[in-house]
Amino acid sequence: MKLIIGNRNYSSWSLRGWLAAKQSGLSFEEITVNISGEEWESAKREWGEVQPSSGKVPILWDGDVVIWDSLAIMEHLADKIGGENGRDRFWPKDPVARGLCRSMVAEMHSSYLPLRREMPMNVRRRIEGHTLGDEARANVIRILTLWAEARSRFGHGGPFLFGTYSAADIFYAPVISRFVTYGVGVPGFAQAYMEAMWDHAWMQQWIEGADQEDWTIEAFEVAT
């Protein structure tokens, strides 16, 4: 398998796909591309393997199978592992917890556009004094409410949203990065969760990779 990801500093969906691949435990080759560079524009025109994604990242290339959406990538990896083992690798075993986890992942996948627009992911930056707009603030409150429910009901087995590491942690990882970058104040339980995620070996590997990148996308570097 090959996983094509975009700039680690900016590409939130690439982080999700990459964490899903790491969580799967399956072997994969990692290819990082500068999504704002001319080389990637040329590659999109020339590489048959990025179709039919039209260059959207992440892209998982598994033989003849091409998957270009992070949630679809995670589901493909679960199928590849197979059976209950594949499902349990990403979702809580308890059916009630699993239902909440799936709903939270789906909501993250389809919602929170004001937060995404106002607070683009930028792993390397720290912005002081950022004032949230009303819609982005509502998104933050909604996310913290969901985190609180998951932690209070199902988080007793470990430091993550459902105790052990799950799809919910994978999909909310870029949100944690945004909260760190823009200095979003959170209650104590959320701070403890964010620290557990930030200190996780895979997140540290991603952060170190972002720090080492030479690529800059100026649209995401404008002072906020």
Side-chain angles (χ1 to χ4, degrees):
M1 293 192 301
K2 293 196 294 187
L3 182 69
I4 302 172
I5 60 173
N7 311 54
R8 289 176 181 260
N9 192 50
Y10 307 108
S11 184
S12 59
W13 291 109
S14 291
L15 172 56
R16 294 181 176 100
W18 184 82
L19 287 175
K22 298 290 278 188
Q23 177 70 357
S24 76
L26 300 171
S27 177
F28 66 97
E29 177 187 356
E30 181 182 320
I31 301 172
T32 306
V33 299
N34 180 7
I35 55 177
S36 68
E38 178 55 37
E39 290 182 4
W40 181 233
E41 291 300 318
S42 298
K44 287 192 291 185
R45 292 189 292 268
E46 297 172 7
W47 290 9
E49 63 197 59
V50 304
Q51 303 300 330
S53 76
S54 297
K56 293 180 180 180
V57 290
I59 308 167
L60 183 69
W61 196 28
D62 184 10
D64 293 331
V65 179
V66 180
I67 312 288
W68 66 91
D69 177 275
S70 58
L71 182 55
I73 286 171
M74 188 173 68
E75 293 297 336
H76 176 78
L77 293 170
D79 288 345
K80 194 172 181 70
I81 296 166
E84 291 186 4
N85 289 334
R87 182 190 65 186
D88 294 347
R89 189 68 60 91
F90 296 102
W91 305 105
K93 292 183 179 182
D94 177 82
V96 179
R98 190 165 62 244
L100 177 60
C101 185
R102 282 177 167 155
S103 297
M104 288 176 62
V105 167
E107 184 166 327
M108 181 69 254
H109 190 263
S110 63
S111 304
Y112 309 128
L113 290 179
L115 184 148
R116 299 179 199 272
R117 291 171 180 152
E118 184 177 319
M119 303 164 60
M121 192 170 90
N122 191 321
V123 176
R124 294 191 296 257
R125 285 197 74 183
R126 298 294 180 270
I127 299 172
E128 297 181 1
H130 177 76
T131 302
L132 291 169
D134 291 342
E135 291 183 328
R137 183 181 298 106
N139 287 171
V140 170
I141 292 170
R142 172 62 177 169
I143 289 168
L144 292 174
T145 300
L146 291 174
W147 287 3
E149 182 170 1
R151 287 293 300 151
S152 64
R153 294 177 63 191
F154 305 109
H156 303 296
F160 303 109
L161 288 176
F162 290 84
T164 57
Y165 199 86
S166 73
D169 304 301
I170 290 170
F171 271 74
Y172 283 86
V175 171
I176 293 167
S177 178
R178 286 177 163 100
F179 285 4
V180 171
T181 294
Y182 296 88
V184 176
V186 298
F189 85 90
Q191 185 64 39
Y193 166 61
M194 288 172 55
E195 289 174 0
M197 281 292 293
W198 198 255
D199 292 340
H200 192 284
W202 297 338
M203 281 295 289
Q204 284 298 305
Q205 184 179 344
W206 185 272
I207 293 163
E208 289 170 8
D211 287 339
Q212 293 168 7
E213 283 180 351
D214 295 328
W215 302 319
T216 299
I217 300 178
E218 291 300 332
F220 296 147
E221 296 292 338
V222 176
T224 303

